[in-house]
Amino acid sequence: MTKQYQVTNPLQGLIAKASVSLPQKTGAVQRAQERIDRVSGGSTAVLADVSGSMASPAWGGRSKHSLLRDAITSTFRPGQHELLAFSSRVQRLTNPAMLPEPGGGTALHLALQGALELNPGRILLISDGEPDDESAALAVATRFPGVIDVLYIGPDSNAAAMRFLRTLAMAGHGRYHGSDIARVGQPSLTNTIQHLLAGPRT
């Protein structure tokens, strides 16, 4: 069975903890509430990994890229969502069906920076591998005033990739979810993306 990893409702937990321990000395409660307000009132930027590894075969003999393209196409809502495809460079798309063919590296730091420039309330990162520069990606993530959720779609055996992406989700006050799309089908991937796009539970 594919392992599932998820951190739910991190912001509400942060507010509860801060309101008890540091209500007067810091602005932790206010900052956490501002994140929640930003998420509820803003759009979501979807960052889709189209690096070379996304060409590898997955469920049903289809490529990871093909499965991800169809899942994003069925869940993407113009006006609510922005879409950035990234490999060695970043492309902003209005039509998810035009997701670029896989190739190149994984310049996650550039993708996150591109998302910040769109000023969304939330970022949903979907990736199957390790970024070119982990430190640079984390540095950008910590500057984001909203929430970063992460969907890892690589193999359950890649402990390094999962560990980093969990760290990124924590830095972005968001959730981490793991789903090896070489083992799960298209409906499962679509449902997972829909769940994450719906936002954190309250």
Side-chain angles (χ1 to χ4, degrees):
M1 179 178 294
T2 301
K3 297 179 181 178
Q4 304 293 329
Y5 304 92
Q6 188 173 358
V7 178
T8 58
N9 200 18
L11 288 177
Q12 292 291 352
L14 178 61
I15 287 178
K17 181 178 179 181
S19 63
V20 172
S21 60
L22 299 171
Q24 303 299 326
K25 296 181 180 179
T26 74
V29 174
Q30 180 179 350
R31 288 194 298 272
Q33 186 61 56
E34 287 172 352
R35 286 183 187 276
I36 291 178
D37 294 342
R38 183 182 178 89
V39 169
S40 63
S43 63
T44 296
V46 179
L47 306 187
D49 186 347
V50 292
S51 60
S53 60
M54 290 295 291
S56 61
W59 178 82
R62 298 173 62 188
S63 69
K64 293 178 180 178
H65 176 273
S66 174
L67 293 171
L68 180 60
R69 180 193 60 216
D70 288 356
I72 293 177
T73 299
S74 63
T75 55
F76 187 79
R77 300 291 181 269
Q80 298 179 26
H81 307 147
E82 302 281 355
L83 178 60
L84 297 176
F86 70 97
S87 53
S88 297
R89 63 191 184 99
V90 182
Q91 300 180 59
R92 185 180 180 185
L93 305 175
T94 57
N95 182 358
M98 301 303 293
L99 204 66
E101 290 300 310
T106 310
L108 176 56
H109 61 295
L110 297 182
L112 289 168
Q113 183 59 51
L116 263 64
E117 292 171 1
L118 296 177
N119 196 34
R122 186 158 53 101
I123 293 171
L124 172 58
L125 166 65
I126 308 173
S127 179
D128 77 331
E130 301 170 26
D132 297 342
D133 191 330
E134 292 186 359
S135 297
L138 284 172
V140 178
T142 57
R143 298 203 306 269
F144 183 52
V147 168
I148 301 175
D149 290 330
V150 175
L151 173 57
Y152 170 68
I153 55 174
D156 293 339
S157 59
N158 193 340
M162 291 187 289
R163 182 168 54 250
F164 168 74
L165 290 176
R166 285 195 196 96
T167 300
L168 184 72
M170 291 179 63
H173 301 274
R175 300 169 293 171
Y176 170 91
H177 191 97
S179 181
D180 183 352
I181 60 174
R183 299 184 182 182
V184 301
Q186 177 67 50
S188 177
L189 178 61
T190 299
N191 289 339
T192 299
I193 292 175
Q194 287 176 333
H195 170 75
L196 291 170
L197 286 175
R201 299 172 183 171
T202 57

